[in-house]
Amino acid sequence: MKKTVHRKEVKSAKSKPATQPKKGDIIDVSVFDLNEEGFATAVYEGIRLFVSGALPGEDVRVRITHAGRRELTGEVIRVLRPSTDRLPDPPCQRAGFCDGCPLISMRYPGQLAWKRSYVEKSVHARRSLRDVPVQSVLPSPRPLNYRNSAKLVVAGTFRSPVIGIYRRNSHDVLDISDCPLHHPLINRIAATVKDGIRKGKVPVYSPRTGSGILRYLVIRVSERHERAMVVFVTSRRSFNEIHHLAKYVRQAIPEVDVVVQNVNASEGNVILGQHDHYVSKDHAIIEEVGDIRFSISPRSFFQVNSGGARLIYDKVREWSSLTGSESVVDLYCGIGGISLYLAGQAREVHGIEFVETAVADAEKNARLNHIDNCTFESGDASELLEALHEEGKPVDLIVLNPPRKGCDRRVLETAAAIATPRIIYVSCSPLTLARDLEILAELGYRTREIQPVDMFPQTPHIENVALVVRDAAPESGARIPRKPAASDKIKKKRGTA
């Protein structure tokens, strides 16, 4: 059946559509920007259109994949007028239909320019932040092959296994066992696991029937030492098949030091289960960022771009301006990366993190580096920050490194009540960063500058480091917010590394 081709384009989003496009229709549009997920944005007949595979400034022919009354989505079938930023030969042949790295068809300088513009728009949209300087993006040391970890779905059958990621909004698995974003060692391991599945006839798990064993493949790599960890996630404990698969992989790739079988019998989409069974003698690999060593276990959180992590840590260290006499609080400290990186220039560093296993990893990493002026504590960030203040301990610097949702307002209010002179905010979301910086402005703090860092080349994601200084006390006076009634339920754990 021949599809309708619409040529007419209306720029104004207020005009009513003359003809409502349908799924499968083919239309021509001009792209004017990218959204925060990396989808090109356009307007057709007054309806906003999101397109995968297009770049700003391009005229493209699009097939509609979803038609709503107020929003359309589509995919590029032909580029009519390419952007000057479009690569003639992208490094991945799946660029047109894989959503994992939507910017991979764009020249790297163009990616950096767009990311800076996106940060500026997000920040300068806030009235109190309109004059905050946003520096040029620090590029990743490796635009490709930078990912030191991968969590991959295993699908298909043992005769024809597929290792990759789910397509957007589906249960179909796209094979990316040779992904150009992965460290080369990850791709070698994935290809070898495929061979091992076929040779060993390892039953692949089927979520539809519940049969089979092997569900996921998790690979972590130490970039500095070229060593690897392989985690086979299985639906049940099955020693024989996994033992032989592990043996095959380690014989083929001697760089694999750690092999783990993780058992996950749940029906949800959480990758790792609660039980780990080590096939190898070693239980962790060692990675280094600058002069700090980290022990990486199957569950440890660690930045996927080691080179990018060093750029962030170096900027935090530079802006901290520590002299050796300061007391530092690192909120949302994770496994202690920033805490340990600052320890050599501070009198003491206190890390706070809600996840208890991350605190245990932080303490382990402090011992690994023979650092004895760091303490780590698990619990609610604002509660523990307030407790430090009540103990009369001065806080010269607070480092904030929250998850994508940003900081709870009470954390920011407590930091302002303590009147710490300097705050460094590390963020993975320009939108929540801008929101929180405006709250800090209301509380008497001024954002001096923002440094974007490209931790995730070929994707729309961008990290930022913001330097915030105490300008003046708010007119109403800063007060530590009242504790919630449930504060006694918050788990706390104190420990000195």
Side-chain angles (χ1 to χ4, degrees), residues 357-415:
T357 54
V359 169
D361 283 339
E363 293 172 342
K364 182 191 303 181
N365 289 325
R367 292 191 294 270
L368 180 66
N369 289 277
H370 308 290
I371 293 174
D372 58 8
N373 64 336
C374 283
T375 59
F376 298 96
E377 193 167 0
S378 67
D380 178 80
S382 59
E383 287 285 324
L384 298 183
L385 183 60
E386 179 183 338
L388 286 176
H389 180 59
E390 290 176 347
E391 291 172 8
K393 294 183 178 181
V395 178
D396 302 296
L397 169 69
I398 292 178
V399 178
L400 301 172
N401 188 9
R404 182 168 294 275
K405 66 179 182 180
C407 290
D408 184 86
R409 184 183 180 98
R410 190 161 174 266
V411 170
L412 303 175
E413 291 174 341
T414 304

Side-chain angles (χ1 to χ4, degrees), residues 61-79:
R61 185 158 294 162
V62 176
R63 179 183 292 109
I64 301 298
T65 56
H66 172 76
R69 295 185 62 183
R70 299 182 180 180
E71 186 176 292
L72 305 170
T73 59
E75 58 186 5
V76 172
I77 59 174
R78 184 180 176 187
V79 178

Side-chain angles (χ1 to χ4, degrees), residues 8 23 73 105 116-117 132 181 186 215 226 230 234 251-252 294 302 326 404 413 415 422 448 455 457-458 460 469 493:
K8 184 179 178 183
K23 181 179 179 180
T73 59
S105 296
R116 182 187 187 188
S117 174
V132 173
L181 268 58
I186 291 178
R215 301 182 66 175
E226 287 284 329
V230 176
T234 59
Q251 286 179 342
F294 296 92
F302 193 75
E326 294 86 0
R404 182 168 294 275
E413 291 174 341
R422 185 180 299 248
R448 185 175 291 176
M455 285 283 287
Q458 322 307 329
V469 296
K493 173 187 171 186

